[in-house]
Amino acid sequence: MAEVHASAQVWLLQADSGMFAMLEDENGQSYLPVWESSTAAGTAAVADWEGYQPAAMDMKEFNQWLHELDEDGILLGVSPDEHGKILPFKGEVLRNLLNPL
């Protein structure tokens, strides 16, 4: 989280079509994966996400987007590893952790 505070942005993976990478668990819960650096996001662009590119989102836009994700029941998957394991967060919880960005 230190890099997010320093840069005031998060990183996602985006396809050429403009769609962002998503994850789904065995129970059907959807997650938007986010990373704290371009390098970390780029490392995850393999398998199903091959061809996706790291895309920065500033915290102001991300905070607004978190409200929509909460309404849609989509959680955040922080720093997915190469096996898809994540730290799951509700948007509101992550927003509070990152406040006052």
Side-chain angles (χ1 to χ4, degrees), residues 2 8 18 20 28-29 34 37 46 49 53-54 64-65 68-69 74 76 83 87-88 92:
F20 289 100
Q29 174 63 58
V34 296
S37 72
V46 296
W49 297 335
Q53 298 297 316
Q64 292 171 346
W65 213 31
E68 293 175 34
L69 294 172
I74 298 171
L76 298 164
H83 304 291
L87 292 172
E92 179 182 346

Side-chain angles (χ1 to χ4, degrees), residues 81-93:
D81 69 11
E82 64 274 7
H83 304 291
K85 293 186 180 179
I86 58 168
L87 292 172
F89 285 93
K90 284 188 174 184
E92 179 182 346
V93 172

